[in-house]
Amino acid sequence: MNDTTPLHLLQAATAMNNIDPDPQETAEWREAFQALVATQGPARARQMLDELSRVARTQRTGWQPDLSTPYVNSIHVNEQPVFPGDLAMEERLASLMRWNALAMVVKANQAETGGSAELGGHIASYASAADLFETGFNHFFHAREGTAEGQHRGDLVFFQPHSAPGVYARAYLEGRLEEKDLGFYRQELTSGDAQGLCSYPHPYLMPDFWQFPTGSMGIGPISSIYHARFMRYLTHRRLLDCTGRKVWGVFGDGEMDEPESMSALTLAAREGLDNMVWVVNCNLQRLDGPVRGNGRIIDELEKLFAGAGWNVIKLVWGSDWDGLFARDLTGALASAFAHTVDGQMQTFAAKDGRFNRDNFFGQNEELARLAQGMTDEQIDRLKRGGHDLVKIHAAYAAAANHKGQPTVILAHTKKGYGMGSAGQGKMTTHSQKKFDETDLLEFRNRFNLPLSDEQAKSLTFYKPAADSAEMQYMHAKRTALGGYLPKRETTADIVPIPALPAYASFALKADGKEMSTTMAFVRILGGLLKDAALGPKIVPIVADEARTFGMANLFKQVGIYSSVGQRYAPEDIGSVLSYREALDGQILEEGISEAGALASWTAAATSYSVHGLAMLPFYIYYSMFGFQRVGDQIWAAADQRARGFLLGATSGRTTLGGEGLQHQDGTSHLIAATIPNCKAYDPGYACELAVILDKGMQEMMVEQKDVFYYVTLMNENYAQPDLVAGSEADIIRGCYSLKRFAAKSGSKEVTLMGSGAILTEVVKAAQQLADQGISATVYSVTSWSELARDGAACQQSALDGEASAKTFVAQQLEASKGPVIAATDYVRAVPESIRAFLPEGRSYLTLGTDGFGRSDTRAALRNFFGVDAASIVKAALHQLG
């Protein structure tokens, strides 16, 4: 057999391998097991299967259970609960959502209605997921009632991003959006008095509406897991009772290919996160074609999730199939499905009832007999499970009630469901955003919409009267569930922070004591954790480097969070710094997973809006593995208006001497500067670090600004000076005059700027220049990006015709003279970012660490990259001529 073997030969080979040599004996075993179930129940049957499995392993038979089950619903029709709503009413409402979502996208792309085809948008994804969403909205997704004792704090719902039009359509019927808003879908800049609707869920753009950004595929899934775990963390630490709340995530089957989607599945199972339900919309199609054209994605995902320890619910077929399965006494349907790959299933979705009668039910006599008596239209209307409200409700109810495991519902749908010849199941359906008049009329008829021909052709939005049965029903359902979703709230109590000297006096008055800025940070963090008001709200996070960063003393002080406590005696139990895990532990140590640690940081950094409880996360990690590895997640956190600290430790290209190319960071400040609400700092001294942390806490916890800080730290020990009196405000704005080194003779002057790890080299260079008769003024640059932002703002003011303001860096440098030389441990593009904002007439030369890193001593590396004191002196002499 090879890749070119015809399908029917492969099926024949499979059948030969499954030939039963003794059917009678097999029948006896089968009957015995059925009798066991009938007389002693499923629990005893499972116990017996476990025992047989143990015996099989003992006898080395090579057998193990198949993680894939038949291609049928996990919940049998006899196990379905009674549907607790008005089925016809909910189907009508879902149809209205579908229409308004479609009309919104098509209008935005019709030139004759003022739209533009360049705007894009998606119809097919929501068409497949509409019923999955509506069942959640009507029966399961609980909104936040309030923050008082006994009030539900609300479920967390992550929405499939390409289905955003459907969420807008529901918000329109609920009265949360107006018709004029729908008219400006993907037109945020030209909406006038309307609210422009962003393409995907973006809390930054719609801060009162969207709660979680999911537009970047894979980020939503991993974020949902760590949000669910953070809720357990809050409960176990007795900060907030999150019991009774769920995290719901509706994601796509194609999205499951993203590594972030899969990377935390075992954590969810290990932590027993039964407060989480994923609904994977298995419409079998990615952006350009079938997800697993030559296989079955539902089978693959079932194996993956079951193997990771999740509870798996397969939602494959709708109620119309129940009768067919009941009449199928030979297993013909299950057998046919087992041999139908997704590519063929997609073709069945795109074709009509006649095609499916001939090509599916026509495969053999057993299938043909099952279809007898059904019209072609009835065959065409056979629903997949993800389009049947009764089946969806049964799956959701089972998932919500399951204990001990996270649950995934694998919901089989048709991409572009109901779009008919315009897009249902077609390869091009993901990009479909135009309908001709015939298509629009067919869609109206397919869903029995109360629209005239003219209304359908003109894409008229439809909203029932306020006193209609549909509107009353919809509002009643949401009222019973606490209100409307999605909704982002920001009310959280102000958390006072201690006075700076109370926890950082050692840094403010260092008196020349040698230490690294990393060690200074750990001491500051230890002091903050002791504060009665702020301490409990701090969330220290590490990937797996706590000892590397000198944080081992915190193990005893606050403990490492574990949902099961500590079930072992640690090897170092007699040590002063012994490892300690606890149910109420405060540190989140996430293992070797920067993606997981960043997702955990995001959950804590957005707690103020998600839970109404302000928390302050400090995530410390190797700076090289920050923005470079999880930059997309950091952007998503920025979109979600995160508040917290990211600490890039062992930063710079030369401070981490022997580690070599991949560990040496020369670019993180360049990337951090691109994120508008990220304030990035590269302090060289402990006193600067203390001032920066204090300001950040004031902004985030007291002033409640939607910013987060990126601060780089070094592992190099050197003498730490006292804080320059009155420099605090300048440190925050980006630079201050550190010291002037006056030459005993000579009139030449030079200005040196430095930051982070290279600041000490700049100071050495200044002293050497002074010894050579050249006076040097040293500026410590704490933030190149803040200087650049100030300069850009001043530049824009001038372009707008406003009074010209002098840039802050220009103001600072006015007190110095001569050419300016800037040196950093980062690529030259970092200090180059302020070139346009310097005083006129001053030459400017930048030194940096462009290129690949190397393994050697710090001194050798700094000489190699030309950022050591000797290189700075050489550059200054060159500029002076």
Side-chain angles (χ1 to χ4, degrees):
M1 298 289 178
N2 55 47
D3 290 344
T4 62
T5 304
L7 178 61
H8 71 279
L9 292 181
L10 289 172
Q11 293 174 345
T14 301
M16 289 176 62
N17 291 333
N18 292 331
I19 292 176
D20 191 340
D22 192 342
Q24 183 176 350
E25 182 183 31
T26 301
E28 291 172 356
W29 278 85
R30 185 185 303 114
E31 291 168 3
F33 184 76
Q34 291 171 340
L36 176 68
V37 175
T39 58
Q40 300 188 45
R44 176 58 176 162
R46 290 193 296 270
Q47 185 179 30
M48 187 58 66
L49 289 172
D50 289 339
E51 177 62 19
L52 290 174
S53 178
R54 185 192 66 79
V55 172
R57 288 194 299 270
T58 302
Q59 297 299 315
R60 299 182 180 276
T61 62
W63 176 86
Q64 61 182 18
D66 189 351
L67 292 176
S68 179
T69 59
Y71 207 70
V72 297
N73 294 339
S74 299
I75 301 174
H76 192 271
V77 61
N78 295 333
E79 300 169 338
Q80 288 177 192
V82 175
F83 186 73
D86 184 328
L87 183 59
M89 180 70 73
E90 293 189 22
E91 287 179 338
R92 287 201 299 276
L93 283 167
S95 296
L96 296 181
M97 310 300 178
R98 291 177 189 277
W99 171 256
N100 287 328
L102 178 149
M104 184 193 329
V105 177
V106 178
K107 267 181 178 288
N109 290 277
Q110 281 188 342
E112 58 269 24
T113 61
S116 172
E118 69 187 59
L119 292 174
H122 305 279
I123 301 171
S125 292
Y126 177 69
S128 68
D131 300 301
L132 300 173
F133 280 20
E134 284 303 300
T135 302
F137 279 123
N138 287 324
H139 301 283
F140 294 95
F141 300 162
H142 209 296
R144 185 192 298 184
E145 295 172 348
T147 57
E149 185 73 24
Q151 289 185 307
H152 200 292
R153 289 279 182 133
D155 292 338
L156 284 56
V157 185
F158 290 75
F159 293 99
Q160 187 180 20
H162 290 112
S163 295
V167 182
Y168 293 141
R170 169 170 264 270
Y172 166 56
L173 289 196
E174 292 170 339
R176 302 171 62 211
L177 293 176
E178 298 181 28
E179 183 173 325
K180 63 181 179 180
D181 300 326
L182 270 58
F184 285 94
Y185 172 62
R186 293 195 172 199
Q187 298 167 77
E188 299 167 74
L189 302 180
T190 56
S191 57
D193 64 342
Q195 178 174 354
L197 305 181
C198 53
S199 54
Y200 305 122
H202 291 300
Y204 197 88
L205 299 176
M206 296 177 67
D208 299 324
F209 191 86
W210 292 114
Q211 193 170 34
F212 302 107
T214 56
S216 188
M217 295 296 183
I219 304 302
I222 190 172
S223 183
S224 71
I225 290 175
Y226 280 89
H227 270 284
R229 202 280 298 271
F230 189 70
M231 288 164 66
R232 288 288 175 83
Y233 171 87
L234 292 176
T235 300
H236 288 155
R237 289 194 55 217
R238 299 180 181 178
L239 295 172
L240 183 69
D241 186 0
C242 295
T243 55
R245 299 171 64 193
K246 292 285 185 182
V247 177
W248 295 85
V250 183
F251 308 116
D253 48 355
E255 186 175 2
M256 294 299 106
D257 284 344
E258 290 284 4
E260 293 90 350
S261 296
M262 299 288 100
S263 63
L265 295 187
T266 54
L267 176 137
R270 184 171 69 248
E271 297 285 313
L273 298 180
D274 53 15
N275 61 340
M276 185 173 64
V277 179
W278 278 13
V279 181
V280 180
N281 177 21
C282 297
N283 58 35
L284 316 184
Q285 191 172 334
R286 292 193 298 243
L287 308 187
D288 295 324
V291 178
R292 294 290 184 271
N294 297 303
R296 285 184 298 280
I297 187 61
I298 289 180
D299 288 349
E300 179 180 320
L301 292 178
E302 179 183 22
K303 292 177 182 179
L304 181 65
F305 280 93
W310 287 51
N311 173 45
V312 179
I313 296 176
K314 290 167 74 170
L315 173 59
V316 188
W317 306 114
S319 300
D320 292 340
W321 288 88
D322 290 339
L324 295 174
F325 279 110
R327 298 201 307 273
D328 180 17
L329 304 180
T330 64
L333 278 175
S335 177
F337 292 141
H339 295 99
T340 303
V341 296
D342 283 355
Q344 186 62 46
M345 198 70 74
Q346 182 186 350
T347 300
F348 291 147
K351 301 299 183 179
D352 59 15
R354 169 53 61 179
F355 180 91
N356 283 282
R357 179 191 297 279
D358 295 340
N359 291 274
F360 179 76
F361 289 104
Q363 293 180 75
N364 55 56
E365 292 182 4
E366 289 88 351
L367 291 174
R369 279 197 294 270
L370 290 175
Q372 286 179 356
M374 296 179 68
T375 65
D376 291 346
E377 183 180 2
Q378 286 175 318
I379 291 176
D380 191 47
R381 291 296 185 102
L382 286 170
K383 289 182 179 178
R384 295 182 180 178
H387 300 306
D388 188 308
L389 298 179
V390 174
K391 297 292 186 183
I392 297 170
H393 179 271
Y396 281 22
N401 293 324
H402 187 76
K403 302 298 181 184
Q405 294 171 287
T407 294
V408 61
I409 298 170
L410 303 177
H412 193 194
T413 65
K414 294 179 181 180
K415 192 159 190 177
Y417 177 67
M419 291 170 64
S421 59
Q424 179 171 288
K426 292 183 178 295
M427 294 291 189
T428 58
T429 190
H430 184 77
S431 300
Q432 183 70 31
K433 49 187 173 284
K434 294 184 179 181
F435 276 60
D436 61 28
E437 292 184 350
T438 301
D439 295 328
L440 292 171
L441 293 175
E442 287 182 357
F443 190 93
R444 178 203 61 183
N445 296 338
R446 169 68 179 80
F447 291 104
N448 196 27
L449 294 162
L451 299 167
S452 67
D453 287 0
E454 183 55 35
Q455 287 175 318
K457 293 176 184 178
S458 62
L459 295 164
T460 301
F461 294 120
Y462 185 82
K463 186 175 184 179
D467 60 353
S468 66
E470 290 87 353
M471 297 293 278
Q472 292 183 26
Y473 184 90
M474 179 189 65
H475 287 299
K477 285 294 183 182
R478 287 313 310 165
T479 299
L481 289 168
Y484 301 98
L485 286 174
K487 183 180 181 182
R488 182 176 178 273
E489 302 182 53
T490 58
T491 302
D493 290 339
I494 290 174
V495 180
I497 67 169
L500 181 55
Y503 59 88
S505 60
F506 75 94
L508 303 178
K509 298 180 179 180
D511 196 27
K513 182 178 180 181
E514 289 198 353
M515 72 179 80
S516 67
T517 52
T518 296
M519 185 51 64
F521 163 71
V522 174
R523 287 188 62 180
I524 289 172
L525 181 62
L528 291 171
L529 285 166
K530 295 175 183 177
D531 184 73
L534 179 65
K537 304 297 180 64
I538 290 175
V539 185
I541 302 172
V542 289
D544 191 36
E545 299 285 356
R547 294 188 189 277
T548 301
F549 302 137
M551 297 175 65
N553 62 307
L554 298 181
F555 294 167
K556 277 287 185 70
Q557 182 179 340
V558 295
I560 300 162
Y561 171 70
S562 167
S563 61
V564 296
Q566 190 160 5
R567 297 174 173 176
Y568 60 93
E571 169 273 330
D572 58 354
I573 193 170
S575 168
V576 175
L577 304 179
S578 62
Y579 202 78
R580 183 175 76 89
E581 298 185 72
L583 186 66
D584 61 351
Q586 199 159 345
I587 301 170
L588 291 173
E589 190 168 28
E590 302 297 5
I592 305 177
S593 172
E594 286 83 6
L598 203 285
S600 195
W601 178 85
T602 302
T606 57
S607 177
Y608 74 94
S609 68
V610 176
H611 306 295
L613 178 70
M615 302 291 287
L616 184 64
F618 290 85
Y619 170 31
I620 183 170
Y621 55 90
Y622 268 55
S623 68
M624 187 60 181
F625 304 130
F627 283 84
Q628 289 83 344
R629 175 164 285 187
V630 293
D632 198 14
Q633 285 180 263
I634 295 175
W635 266 103
D639 189 350
Q640 202 174 332
R641 297 172 175 252
R643 300 172 185 172
F645 289 94
L646 297 173
L647 291 308
T650 58
S651 66
R653 188 149 278 164
T654 68
T655 188
L656 191 58
E659 292 283 357
L661 184 151
Q662 195 166 347
H663 281 64
Q664 294 174 341
D665 168 27
T667 57
S668 68
H669 273 285
L670 192 63
I671 306 172
T674 66
I675 302 177
N677 53 347
C678 174
K679 293 190 173 185
Y681 290 90
D682 186 31
Y685 295 134
C687 58
E688 298 171 354
L689 171 65
V691 170
I692 291 165
L693 294 179
D694 179 71
K695 180 61 175 179
M697 290 187 293
Q698 285 283 356
E699 286 193 308
M700 292 182 274
M701 304 302 284
V702 179
E703 299 170 24
Q704 298 190 341
K705 292 183 179 179
D706 294 341
V707 296
F708 66 97
Y709 277 50
Y710 174 61
V711 185
T712 42
L713 307 172
M714 281 75 71
N715 65 337
E716 181 180 2
N717 292 320
Y718 47 77
Q720 298 286 340
D722 293 350
L723 178 68
V724 175
S727 64
E728 292 90 343
D730 292 347
I731 287 173
I732 298 304
R733 294 192 68 178
C735 77
Y736 68 102
S737 178
L738 179 65
K739 186 176 182 180
R740 185 173 187 273
F741 292 78
K744 293 181 180 179
S745 61
S747 60
K748 290 185 176 181
E749 295 260 358
V750 69
T751 298
L752 305 182
M753 303 178 76
S755 69
I758 302 304
L759 182 58
T760 56
E761 298 294 327
V762 170
V763 171
K764 291 176 188 176
Q767 185 61 63
Q768 292 175 21
L769 286 166
D771 293 342
Q772 297 179 43
I774 301 170
S775 296
T777 303
V778 174
Y779 286 87
S780 174
V781 178
T782 51
S783 177
W784 300 98
S785 57
E786 287 300 295
L787 292 178
R789 287 173 180 173
D790 170 81
C794 291
Q795 187 179 70
Q796 187 61 49
S797 294
L799 292 173
D800 292 339
E802 299 175 7
S804 180
K806 188 174 292 185
T807 66
F808 176 70
V809 67
Q811 295 177 46
Q812 291 291 88
L813 294 181
E814 282 180 343
S816 68
K817 296 179 181 179
V820 182
I821 293 89
T824 79
D825 215 11
Y826 295 88
V827 294
R828 285 182 176 86
V830 173
E832 282 290 333
S833 65
I834 68 167
R835 177 180 290 275
F837 313 122
L838 299 178
E840 292 184 11
R842 302 281 290 276
S843 67
Y844 186 57
L845 179 66
T846 59
L847 305 177
T849 54
D850 295 69
F852 287 113
R854 300 290 194 279
S855 295
D856 215 307
T857 63
R858 292 190 185 106
L861 289 170
R862 288 167 185 170
N863 175 263
F864 173 79
F865 284 109
V867 292
D868 61 352
S871 299
I872 297 169
V873 169
K874 180 179 177 181
L877 294 175
H878 177 271
Q879 292 299 96
L880 286 168

